[in-house]
Amino acid sequence: MAAPMRSLLADPDRYLQSFRLFLERSTEHQCMQEFVERQLPDVIASIGNGKSTINVLSVGGGAGEMDLQILSKIRARYPGVTINNDVVEPSADQISKYKERVAQASNLENINFTWHRETAYEYESRMNAEKKTKKWDFIHMIQMLYYVKDIPATIRYFHSLLEPQAKLLIILVSGKSGWETLWKKYGSSFPLEDLCSYVSSADLPRMLDTAGLKYQLYELPSHMDITSCFIEGDKDGELLLDFLTETLDFAKTAPPELKRQLMEELRKPGCSEIRDGKVFFNNNLGVIVIEP
């Protein structure tokens, strides 16, 4: 009997390993950085008007790499203003990396950091239990909506915390990405076990329209080199396959027919393009900026 397929999130160490490799092999952070450089200044242009303090909430802040870039843009737009940056992040490992990053950074005067080791849902439950409704000038959720149980309810809750000039920024995989193709076709074969749900930028307009919210959409081109996935026994290739399917040891535990179909799919234009003998997975991101 083959070992049953299990969710990659059941092994946090392997998940982090595969995630780091994904960041190494993809242009994920570069395309976000480009957005932060080029488009974010317009997005935050009025969030701090007339304020001496700007409150920023990072939901699923991870190790803080993107957070610090966002904060530097807010600081540049509102020099001398105090920024209170609260971070909601369930992983102790990610929080300690975030704290290291802050300790090593040189340009963080006037920025106060508070970390909450909890999920978005735990944060909401705690605030409700304490009867608190703290308002924020800028809230961002980068690549984290996959891990919440009720996406519309989560968006509604955090949207309700916006100040009148504030913005809620969401980044997740694009509806035009290889992820959309892969998960729509094979998602039901992967062992998600309620740990993760597949959602892309294509799913959000319907939810936001239903809630009557105003928003803007941006498409960020990104790709990931998955050539090693096609080399039998390649350790990095196996890790990337785990990440693509959210499955622990996919190469070893997937039924042969599922593996064969998936490997074929990964080479097709809906998922990837082949250039100079290398296979580049379409990792495009969608950005949604929601008005108060």
Side-chain angles (χ1 to χ4, degrees):
M1 275 286 289
M5 288 167 76
R6 289 172 61 216
S7 168
L8 177 58
L9 292 163
D11 184 339
D13 288 344
R14 187 159 172 96
Y15 172 78
L16 270 177
Q17 245 185 308
S18 69
F19 176 61
R20 289 194 188 116
L21 184 64
F22 157 72
L23 288 181
E24 215 176 277
R25 295 286 171 88
S26 73
T27 59
E28 171 101 351
H29 273 173
Q30 293 89 310
C31 81
M32 285 192 212
Q33 282 158 355
E34 216 161 283
F35 174 82
V36 167
E37 283 300 320
R38 293 183 184 171
Q39 278 119 339
L40 190 70
D42 287 343
V43 172
I44 60 169
S46 59
I47 62 168
N49 285 357
K51 300 197 166 193
S52 56
T53 303
I54 294 175
N55 295 316
V56 178
L57 180 63
S58 163
V59 187
E65 186 175 359
M66 294 314 305
D67 284 22
L68 296 192
Q69 296 188 29
I70 289 169
L71 290 169
S72 79
K73 283 288 170 244
I74 296 174
R75 206 164 149 259
R77 174 69 184 82
Y78 301 99
V81 164
T82 299
I83 300 171
N84 295 322
N85 185 66
D86 279 40
V87 182
V88 173
E89 168 55 54
S91 161
D93 178 65
Q94 294 287 76
I95 288 177
S96 80
K97 288 197 167 51
Y98 197 141
K99 288 180 175 174
E100 278 167 35
R101 199 164 252 133
V102 167
Q104 288 158 11
S106 56
N107 57 344
L108 300 177
E109 320 67 79
N110 301 349
I111 304 180
N112 305 314
F113 289 87
T114 309
W115 287 272
H116 307 276
R117 190 188 160 193
E118 55 195 354
T119 64
Y121 179 71
E122 286 163 351
Y123 174 84
E124 180 182 345
S125 304
R126 179 170 63 81
M127 288 314 226
N128 288 338
E130 294 171 7
K131 298 201 170 22
K132 286 183 183 165
T133 47
K134 181 167 176 162
K135 295 281 186 174
W136 303 90
D137 301 301
F138 189 61
I139 300 176
H140 57 87
M141 307 169 142
I142 298 177
Q143 294 288 46
M144 61 69 67
L145 277 180
Y146 321 109
Y147 307 108
V148 304
K149 287 275 186 287
D150 185 337
I151 293 166
T154 300
I155 293 174
R156 275 198 308 275
Y157 171 71
F158 285 101
H159 178 265
S160 75
L161 307 182
L162 292 178
E163 289 280 15
Q165 299 284 322
K167 296 280 193 289
L168 168 58
L169 172 94
I170 294 172
I171 301 183
L172 72 175
V173 299
S174 162
K176 299 181 177 122
S177 68
W179 296 101
E180 176 86 352
T181 308
L182 197 64
W183 285 70
K184 284 277 185 285
K185 206 161 184 179
Y186 296 102
S188 59
S189 308
F190 301 149
L192 289 182
E193 295 159 12
D194 282 349
L195 293 170
C196 175
S197 61
Y198 178 68
V199 57
S200 77
S201 66
D203 301 306
L204 257 60
R206 192 184 62 250
M207 295 177 194
L208 300 175
D209 292 340
T210 303
L213 301 179
K214 290 204 322 226
Y215 56 91
Q216 284 170 300
L217 290 170
Y218 303 82
E219 182 83 8
L220 311 186
S222 173
H223 59 75
M224 164 169 61
D225 185 348
I226 58 167
T227 314
S228 59
C229 292
F230 300 93
I231 302 165
E232 197 62 45
D234 185 284
K235 290 278 172 279
D236 284 352
E238 289 181 358
L239 265 178
L240 287 177
L241 271 178
D242 284 12
F243 192 77
L244 284 163
T245 60
E246 289 274 347
T247 303
L248 189 59
D249 289 321
F250 178 84
K252 297 188 176 77
T253 63
E257 185 53 21
L258 174 64
K259 187 181 168 186
R260 187 191 66 72
Q261 286 179 16
L262 184 104
M263 300 308 285
E264 252 176 48
E265 194 68 45
L266 280 174
R267 284 181 175 277
K268 289 180 185 171
C271 276
S272 305
E273 65 169 321
I274 297 171
R275 294 198 305 267
D276 307 325
K278 290 188 161 184
V279 186
F280 292 98
F281 183 76
N282 177 334
N283 184 56
N284 283 11
L285 299 178
V287 177
I288 297 98
V289 177
I290 308 175
E291 308 285 331

